[in-house]
């Protein structure tokens, strides 16, 4: 049986792709859950809260920021030597979840 690697369907949008990448990963879900419940936090706070290593959390935060589900108070390129604070973006989270549900449930 062939494996599906990438759907060839016009309904598979960039938001659906971002939703699957974001919500299909346990670590990213835990980071989002921590940020949604605890408010803005530094990467160090997140590392301690989710019991993950700093490199792993940094990688996931970059992906979450790229998807727009995490907002950072210091813009990229100005973060060296600073401790940016990360926040969940509930509006974007809902957009991605809605796009994923629409893809799954509407024909």
């Amino acid at each position: 049986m062939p494996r599906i690697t990438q759907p060839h369907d016009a309904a598979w949008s960039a938001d659906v792709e971002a939703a699957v990448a974001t919500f299909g990963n346990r670590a990213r879900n835990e980071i989002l859950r921590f940020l949604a419940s605890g408010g803005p936090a530094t990467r160090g706070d997140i590392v301690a809260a989710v019991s993950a290593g700093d490199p792993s959390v940094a990688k996931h935060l970059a992906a979450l920021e790229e998807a727009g589900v995490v907002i950072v108070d210091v813009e990229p390129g100005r973060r060296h030597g600073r401790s940016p604070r990360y926040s969940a973006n509930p509006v974007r989270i809902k957009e991605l979840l809605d796009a994923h549900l629409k893809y799954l449930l509407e024909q």
Side-chain angles (χ1 to χ4, degrees):
M1 175 177 229
R3 295 188 330 187
I4 298 174
T5 57
Q6 179 66 34
H8 298 288
D9 184 337
W12 187 271
S13 66
D15 279 355
V16 174
E17 181 72 31
V20 170
T22 299
F23 307 120
N25 182 288
R26 289 180 185 159
R28 292 177 188 173
N29 279 277
E30 288 306 307
I31 291 168
L32 285 173
R33 185 178 164 123
F34 172 73
L35 291 174
S37 68
T42 65
R43 189 168 75 202
D45 296 335
I46 298 165
V47 167
V50 300
S51 300
D54 188 66
S56 177
V57 169
K59 176 186 79 165
H60 291 303
L61 285 171
L64 293 169
E65 183 180 6
E66 184 177 328
V69 295
V70 164
I71 300 168
V72 189
D73 68 350
V74 179
E75 63 189 70
R78 297 183 172 255
R79 295 182 188 165
H80 186 69
R82 298 182 183 184
S83 293
R85 299 180 66 76
Y86 299 83
S87 302
N89 181 354
V91 171
R92 182 64 177 152
I93 291 169
K94 289 176 185 173
E95 286 174 0
L96 292 184
L97 288 171
D98 287 345
H100 195 194
L101 284 172
K102 182 178 179 182
Y103 175 79
L104 291 174
L105 301 176
E106 294 181 14
Q107 298 295 325

